[in-house]
Amino acid sequence: MKIVRRDLVPDGPGSVKMVPEEADDLWLAYNLIAEGDTVLAVTVRKVLREAASGGRDAERVKLKLEIKVEAVDYDKVGSVLRLRGKNILENEYVKIGAFHTLELELHRPFVLRKEVWDSLALDILHQASDPSASADLAVVLMQEGLANVFLVGKSVTTTRARIETSIPRKHGPAIAGYDKALNKFFDNVLQAFLKHVDFKVVRCAVIASPGFTKDQFHRHLLLEAERKQLRPIIENKSRIILVHTTSGYKHSLREVLDAPNVVNMIKDTKAAQEVRALKEFFDMLSNDPARACYGPKHVEVAHERMAVQTLLITDELFRSADIRTRQKYVNLVNSVKDSGGTALVFSSMHFSGEQLAQLTGIAAILRFPLPDLEDIEM
């Protein structure tokens, strides 16, 4: 995210002009813009004009509108953020108080104004403007006949391609067809790889699978790169890593991010911290359950007893329409940090955030055991 201008008071009012530059930035804007904020942006609106013939002509007019936000909708597939609200900026085409939907898109600036820039909003702003926080990892998860290409950003995991091919069995009369089908499958995966993996953006590309599929595809990739002189692959072959997983489906992404050779590449990123903390939480839950808890009530009680060492919370909980609920979680995050703990806000668009959401969206690793938490109703 490019921050063009910031004019704000922490825990007070102010405005920030910014330009989203990648899909992650729109997701961060989605978490930043709340009901009651105002957003100023250039938009296009259909306007009816009187024609010379006496009829009416519809015309699309470009204009600058500022709306007071009432609803925010994020379209993951189209990378568009839609804001619905009432216009508060007078102009000749749109009356004050008229409803309008603003679409925030990549590379189009907007100004966000808030009455209160709380610590969570300032954290998101800092994260949005910190280029080193990006994980940007490309992952090809495959098994024979199936491949998924994912891009893992700092806040969003997107599925860029899914390739499915029917491959005959390796033995019996079909064996001749097997090699041909496998090569065609690898060619299709290679096309998707070339289309979606940009080594100027990603730190590394991971090819992961059960068995030897990853090794076979890696060999095919390098041979084709030499044969067709595919410079991006030839120049970056040291940044292509092989990892063993149990399947070619999305849930195996967790195994990819746990792999030591991948961890070394992305260890300083937000996505890697989240994966590490979640792994530590699940390990603690199975080995020393009295030092791990989840659910709002249990976490609050643990914090009251100064027991929270690491707080894990999804950004979904901060998007509550109820201001008091949002403020409660903002205060909890601040309070954990003030008492020397760590608070990690997980993106619900990452698979680690999806896993945390299945555990109510809030969990904690404790400094010392609290066995009596089990007796408190959640």
Side-chain angles (χ1 to χ4, degrees), residues 325-361:
T325 307
R326 175 189 162 96
Q327 200 53 51
K328 179 179 87 171
Y329 289 121
V330 169
N331 292 344
L332 177 64
V333 166
N334 290 341
S335 183
V336 166
K337 286 179 179 173
D338 291 345
S339 59
T342 308
L344 293 173
V345 179
F346 282 58
S347 165
S348 50
M349 291 296 266
H350 252 324
F351 58 94
S352 52
E354 287 169 12
Q355 284 179 300
L356 183 58
Q358 289 166 2
L359 295 171
T360 73

Side-chain angles (χ1 to χ4, degrees), residues 68 80 110 118 123 125 129 133 139 176 222 267 289 302 309 348 368 373 377:
K68 187 160 187 159
V80 177
F110 67 92
D118 59 29
D123 270 358
L125 198 59
S129 56
V139 181
L222 297 183
K267 57 176 177 265
Q309 180 183 320
S348 50
F368 46 83
L373 273 185
E377 276 190 35

Side-chain angles (χ1 to χ4, degrees), residues 57-113:
D57 285 347
E59 184 186 350
R60 293 175 76 77
V61 179
K62 213 174 189 182
L63 44 103
K64 200 177 256 189
L65 282 188
E66 185 166 13
I67 65 165
K68 187 160 187 159
V69 178
E70 294 190 6
V72 188
D73 176 44
Y74 175 69
D75 176 3
K76 180 181 175 182
V77 179
S79 279
V80 177
L81 191 57
R82 294 186 184 89
L83 313 174
R84 180 171 158 76
K86 287 180 182 170
N87 179 38
I88 59 167
L89 190 66
E90 181 70 82
N91 68 58
E92 60 173 304
Y93 300 113
V94 185
K95 291 201 216 61
I96 284 186
F99 273 102
H100 186 78
T101 300
L102 279 181
E103 288 200 349
L104 301 185
E105 295 174 4
L106 295 179
H107 313 296
R108 301 217 345 225
F110 67 92
V111 178
L112 170 63
R113 224 178 291 278

Side-chain angles (χ1 to χ4, degrees), residues 303-318:
H303 180 55
E304 280 163 18
R305 300 182 190 178
M306 301 295 282
V308 175
Q309 180 183 320
T310 308
L311 175 70
L312 290 67
I313 184 166
T314 69
D315 52 22
E316 196 75 53
L317 295 178
F318 296 103

Side-chain angles (χ1 to χ4, degrees), residues 6-14 115-119 121-122:
R6 57 190 289 168
D7 174 20
L8 59 89
V9 180
D11 287 318
E115 287 302 312
V116 179
W117 283 86
D118 59 29
S119 60
L122 292 171

